[in-house]
Amino acid sequence: QVQLVESGGGLVQAGGSLRLSCAASGRTFSTYAMGWFRQAAGKEREFVGRSSRNGRSITYYTYYADSVKGRFTISRDNAKNTVYLQMNSLKPEDTAVYYCAASTRELPGSGIYEYDYWGQGTQVTVSS
């Protein structure tokens, strides 16, 4: 069982930056693929990006939705059991509740069903 707790959300002006953190419990954090999703009011939860590795590789690869590519960056610190989402050049359309999620799959895709554990979410609001 993995528990995830997001933090770092808030209100920011368009063009600004925020860094979200997701702290995980458990001793096998490094083995999980970690994803970020977001859900705007009245919309479905959508994939933002993920950090994962192949097999026993020590290298983590990141993959992003087209809507955030070049603006958002996922990183992780396995020693701290934490994954981060650095968000730059924020736009009003980035306003949403952001969730981190952990997957036991080696290479999960963008579907929410591919992730096994979820945090409670943190609100990000971007004003114009």
Side-chain angles (χ1 to χ4, degrees):
Q1 190 77 8
V2 175
Q3 292 184 330
L4 304 172
V5 179
E6 301 97 334
S7 61
L11 174 65
V12 64
Q13 289 188 332
S17 299
L18 278 176
R19 189 177 79 155
L20 305 183
S21 300
C22 173
S25 65
R27 291 178 285 181
T28 57
F29 175 75
S30 64
T31 66
Y32 288 98
M34 298 299 298
W36 285 96
F37 289 75
R38 65 186 182 186
Q39 187 167 16
K43 296 187 176 181
E44 294 186 351
R45 193 169 299 189
E46 66 174 6
F47 174 78
V48 172
R50 75 155 191 267
S51 167
S52 58
R53 64 180 180 179
N54 291 340
R56 298 183 179 182
S57 169
I58 62 172
T59 302
Y60 288 89
Y61 298 92
T62 52
Y63 178 78
Y64 302 95
D66 287 343
S67 58
V68 306
K69 198 173 296 182
R71 299 188 299 122
F72 290 12
T73 302
I74 295 172
S75 61
R76 61 195 295 164
D77 185 338
N78 289 337
K80 295 183 179 180
N81 278 14
T82 302
V83 62
Y84 304 97
L85 180 65
Q86 177 67 44
M87 304 184 295
N88 298 329
S89 302
L90 282 161
K91 305 174 182 180
E93 51 263 45
D94 294 318
T95 294
V97 177
Y98 283 72
Y99 299 88
C100 71
S103 176
T104 56
R105 299 178 185 226
E106 188 171 281
L107 290 174
S110 59
I112 60 175
Y113 62 90
E114 297 183 75
Y115 291 80
D116 305 286
Y117 305 102
W118 292 82
Q120 83 290 348
T122 186
Q123 176 70 47
V124 171
T125 303
V126 184
S127 63
S128 56

